[in-house]
Amino acid sequence: MSHTQHTPALPATVAHLDHTAVYASDRRLSAEFLAAVLGLEVGAPFGPFLPVDLGNGVTLDYYEKTDEPIQPQHYAFLVPEQQFDAMVSRLEKLGVTYYADPSHTEPGRVNDLFGGRGAYFDDPDGHNMEIMTRPYVRP
């Protein structure tokens, strides 16, 4: 899938995140892990990147980095309420512990922030992933 498929017509009136690189020690393993949890597909390689198209115009481009340890980042995904339980079930089937909090002190639980539900889990490289059904209410 090309990066231009979901690009809004130019000129844009606001800045939209189009894609970001996600460092991984094994790009295929990490891309397939996230795609499996979120119920998405891994796209065809794009140069050194292996994309996971999130379906909202944003692509995560997994990039294999083997010359130094991966520095964990945080990625949060706003997901449909009706798909949340299936995502948690997929985590359980994969043997991945999920947590109600970003510090990973409440295993096997989900939170109810802002009237929705959310959970945190690590990907194969320790990136702190979050699924949530309601966006954060910011001051």
Side-chain angles (χ1 to χ4, degrees), residues 1-138:
M1 211 171 267
S2 75
H3 286 293
T4 58
Q5 183 173 358
H6 298 290
T7 304
L10 295 178
T13 56
V14 297
H16 293 268
L17 180 64
D18 182 77
H19 64 277
T20 190
V22 179
Y23 291 149
S25 55
D26 179 332
R27 71 180 188 168
R28 169 118 354 238
L29 175 70
S30 293
E32 287 179 353
F33 170 80
L34 184 67
V37 172
L38 298 181
L40 301 172
E41 299 289 328
V42 175
F46 182 74
F49 304 105
L50 195 58
V52 175
D53 184 339
L54 300 177
N56 64 346
V58 178
T59 304
L60 297 184
D61 289 327
Y62 279 86
Y63 179 80
E64 206 156 290
K65 187 166 183 61
T66 57
D67 58 337
E68 60 186 55
I70 304 298
Q71 297 299 312
Q73 302 292 317
H74 174 61
Y75 298 90
F77 303 95
L78 185 62
V79 302
E81 174 68 43
Q82 64 271 23
Q83 293 181 26
F84 185 84
D85 288 332
M87 292 177 187
V88 169
S89 291
R90 289 192 284 267
L91 286 167
E92 291 172 343
K93 286 178 186 164
L94 291 167
V96 175
T97 303
Y98 57 91
Y99 303 85
D101 63 309
S103 299
H104 294 191
T105 64
E106 300 178 58
R109 298 183 54 206
V110 299
N111 65 54
D112 58 359
L113 295 175
F114 309 107
R117 295 187 295 158
Y120 297 82
F121 58 96
D122 281 345
D123 89 336
D125 284 299
H127 292 302
N128 191 11
M129 304 300 204
E130 177 182 5
I131 53 175
M132 58 188 192
T133 63
R134 294 277 177 93
Y136 287 180
V137 176
R138 300 181 187 273

